[in-house]
Amino acid sequence: MPKLNENFIKLNENYLFSEIAQRVNTYTAANPDKKVIRLGIGDVTLPLGPAVITSLHEGVDALADAKTFKGYGPDFGYAFLRSAIVSYYQHNGASIDIDEVFVSDGAKSDTGNITDLFGADNAILIPDPVYPVYVDTNIMSGRTITYLDANEENNFLPMPDHNVHADIIYLCSPNNPTGAAYNKEQLKAWVDYALTNDAVILYDSAYECFITDETLPRSIYAISGAKRCAIEFCSLSKTAGFTGTRCGYTIVPKELNFASSTGVALSLNAMWRRRQSTKFNGVSYIVQKGAAAVFSAEGMAQCRETIKYYQINAGIIADTLARKNMTYFGGVNSPYIWFKCPNQMDSWSFFDYLLNNAQIVGTPGAGFGRNGQNYFRLTSFGSRENTIQAMERLETLL
Ligand SMILES: Cc1ncc(COP(=O)(O)O)c(C=O)c1O
């Protein structure tokens, strides 16, 4: 009989979005005539830009001809895409080398898979609330987590406590779900803490493209010293609408070296290289062709237009909440709007209340951690028409 990984027993029974889908399905089955508006899951709705589509077609055509056909590609991504990512970082005020770029099928896989590089007995800090993948993947591998409270007192941006030791720190900025984004001074404090404690920061910048405040860092490598202490995960899911197309990238600097238990210096770049070449066979050529077009001048301009559309939606949601005198966070440098549930409702009760009375689906804050119990997340990724309609319903209801 196989001995099972019983850490799975410690996970919440349902992944957040499965539970939401189940409740919505039950509601729609009982109320087939009601139009439900989904502003819950962070999935985009607008199509890929024309530059990406053209490049995807070129990728398909290349595979149709023996002279240009591609079989297995390089494990870490084609050079044309990796160098486009290097140039993108230069524009964002950070300098990285092509050997530090690892193309992947998305940030979810990489933020989960990175746990392979670390032993079981690390002190791990994870903000609460946050994207649930960091927590669940560490629970699956039997690690103990210390939570960093993100709340209204610290504007949902927890700062390092020098009395608490950590080996591994997860940061997500702009944050899912709260929309809060660290400024350079705050991020510098985290980098200094990591360097002092010999810790590594796992920095998720999946929403960097939503940053409008030019003073905010889009990459942790905009902070000096970060290449000695941070791995960065990014994704084309929100930047370019690749949630279904699947492409992301992870930056593992070559300066990132830590001593083994016997005192030998180990390179995280070399370890990730080894891990990926053993367990991953790369992203399809077609998708990488499409991804490279995102970083062209034309592709970037098209992505910015799409992001602007979602940002206007975020403004519509924020204005509605402001008119109702509700305190909200995010919505400016982020596609997410995070607010306290009215009348001291807990977040799952408010979820049911909104679904039953206004047919709006949002995401209960409890799904992102204990500090989200009384908060709720709405996304700006819906259509303009649905966003306006949902806000009209919300305004009448609240
Ligand atoms: C913070 C954060 N990181 C990563 C991801 C996943 O990105 P990808 O689609 O590239 O797997 C998400 C998706 O919503 C996210 O919110």
Side-chain angles (χ1 to χ4, degrees), residues 106-108 131 134 172 176 204 206-207 235 237-238 246 336:
K108 186 189 221 176
Y131 182 51
Y134 319 147
C172 175
N176 176 11
D204 187 341
Y207 296 96
S235 166
S237 284
K238 313 300 154 82
R246 310 301 308 144
Y336 298 124

